[in-house]
Amino acid sequence: FMISYDRLWGTMKEKGISQYDLVKDYQISKSLIHRLRKNEGVSMNSINTLCKILDCNIEDIATYQKD
């Protein structure tokens, strides 16, 4: 199984928040953004933080994909 963060990028664009904004204005680490881009594991705390920043639901950020 795999969690995909492909929806995150569209949600960010819709909300007018760039990756640079996440790092500069919201203190999101560059390593977290790297893990999200690679669909690697991230903590639920990180997902929660992104949902707060983007004022969105978890399904606006992540989807579950079967192999």
Side-chain angles (χ1 to χ4, degrees):
F1 73 93
M2 185 173 104
I3 302 295
S4 170
Y5 300 103
D6 291 345
R7 289 187 179 176
L8 170 63
W9 316 114
T11 300
M12 286 172 56
K13 185 174 184 177
E14 186 180 297
K15 303 284 183 169
I17 295 176
S18 69
Q19 292 178 40
Y20 178 77
D21 294 332
L22 289 179
V23 173
K24 181 175 174 277
D25 299 334
Y26 299 100
Q27 291 72 50
I28 298 296
S29 70
K30 290 179 184 179
S31 64
L32 173 58
I33 291 173
H34 177 78
R35 289 193 308 275
L36 290 163
R37 276 199 299 248
K38 300 279 188 183
N39 291 320
E40 295 175 355
V42 300
S43 72
M44 286 307 295
N45 185 54
S46 296
I47 298 295
N48 186 53
T49 300
L50 289 168
C51 286
K52 284 183 190 175
I53 291 168
L54 296 169
D55 188 28
C56 68
N57 295 313
I58 192 168
E59 59 267 20
D60 298 322
I61 291 176
T63 54
Y64 172 78
Q65 297 178 335
K66 292 183 182 180
D67 284 342

